[in-house]
Amino acid sequence: MACPDCDLIQRIPPLKLDEAANCVRCNAMLFKNKKNSVDRSLAFALTGLILFIMSNLFPLLSLKALGVVQDETLISTSVSLFQAERPFLSIIILLTTVIFPATTLVGTIYVLLQVKNGRINRHTAPLFRFLRSTDAWGMLEIFMLAVLVAVVKLGDLADVIFGVSLYAFCLLIITLALLSYSLNPHDVWNKLRNANGCQL
Ligand SMILES: [Zn+2]
């Protein structure tokens, strides 16, 4: 494994529970063998998927001005931008707030279920590698920041009503952070490497 801080390649010996391996050159932590990492990550990923579905089913925000109420959901935000002739921005928002988070959640649940049940097939490792490479493209927290700035700026012009989805969306951001903390890629790679018929 390459040290994330100094790039020194090292072989990590089998670790006991809660034991950590540190880099021999710069002492950065390489890997910690956390208890029930797969089960905990699976619980966070399933919770995240439920919150993601809730975030998309109901309006995030409703704007009320001059007696007219306009509801906006995550997907309708992208559609509105597309109709306002901002296709590039619309596609970026659709990818970073809907497509990539959905792919990450469904893909992670699929990989973790296979690892947990020992039913790893030849697609599991390439899928996990793909999920690791697209992980950084889910940008829900940045979208949330933009929504908060818009709410403050629009506060004088229109009444802003927070929808159920906004609360689900906030919880989703927290759940995804917890998933990222609890998921131990090194642990998953070890399990994939040890599985029969898995080519890495
Ligand atoms: Zn190092």
Side-chain angles (χ1 to χ4, degrees):
M1 182 182 178
C3 170
D5 284 5
C6 74
D7 282 340
L8 181 68
I9 308 285
Q10 294 149 88
R11 188 177 295 279
I12 298 178
L15 299 177
K16 291 176 193 158
L17 268 184
D18 287 329
E19 219 174 27
N22 289 38
C23 174
V24 290
R25 184 156 69 186
C26 72
N27 206 34
M29 194 171 82
L30 299 175
F31 169 63
K32 186 172 183 186
N33 192 9
K34 293 178 199 158
K35 194 181 174 188
N36 298 335
S37 161
V38 169
D39 285 346
R40 207 176 312 121
S41 304
L42 190 56
F44 284 132
L46 285 166
T47 310
L49 186 63
I50 294 167
L51 290 169
F52 179 80
I53 292 167
M54 282 179 70
S55 301
N56 280 283
L57 280 182
F58 307 103
L60 271 182
L61 287 174
S62 301
L63 294 173
K64 187 178 176 188
L66 304 170
V68 179
V69 179
Q70 185 171 355
D71 296 328
E72 286 293 350
T73 62
L74 264 177
I75 291 174
S76 78
T77 311
S78 300
V79 174
S80 299
L81 278 169
F82 198 83
Q83 288 167 343
E85 297 184 355
R86 299 275 177 91
F88 183 69
L89 193 58
S90 144
I91 291 166
I92 291 284
I93 289 187
L94 188 69
L95 283 173
T96 55
T97 61
V98 180
I99 310 284
F100 282 126
T103 311
T104 300
L105 285 166
V106 174
T108 304
I109 290 169
Y110 179 74
V111 169
L112 291 178
L113 275 175
Q114 287 197 317
V115 168
K116 186 174 158 59
N117 297 328
R119 289 182 187 162
I120 293 162
N121 60 44
R122 63 193 171 89
H123 303 298
T124 316
L127 175 62
F128 189 59
R129 189 175 293 121
F130 171 75
L131 292 173
R132 298 303 303 160
S133 64
T134 57
D135 192 41
W137 286 96
M139 297 188 187
L140 297 181
E141 53 287 336
I142 295 174
F143 180 78
M144 189 68 196
L145 201 63
V147 168
L148 290 176
V149 170
V151 165
V152 172
K153 287 202 165 188
L154 287 171
D156 296 336
L157 302 172
D159 291 331
V160 181
I161 304 152
F162 297 133
V164 179
S165 285
L166 193 74
Y167 299 105
F169 194 71
C170 292
L171 290 172
L172 174 62
I173 292 171
I174 296 169
T175 309
L176 284 177
L178 290 169
L179 170 63
S180 170
Y181 175 74
S182 75
L183 184 66
N184 200 332
H186 188 77
D187 192 24
V188 176
W189 280 125
N190 268 346
K191 289 187 166 79
L192 291 177
R193 203 171 285 124
N194 295 336
N196 288 331
C198 179
Q199 294 171 354
L200 295 176

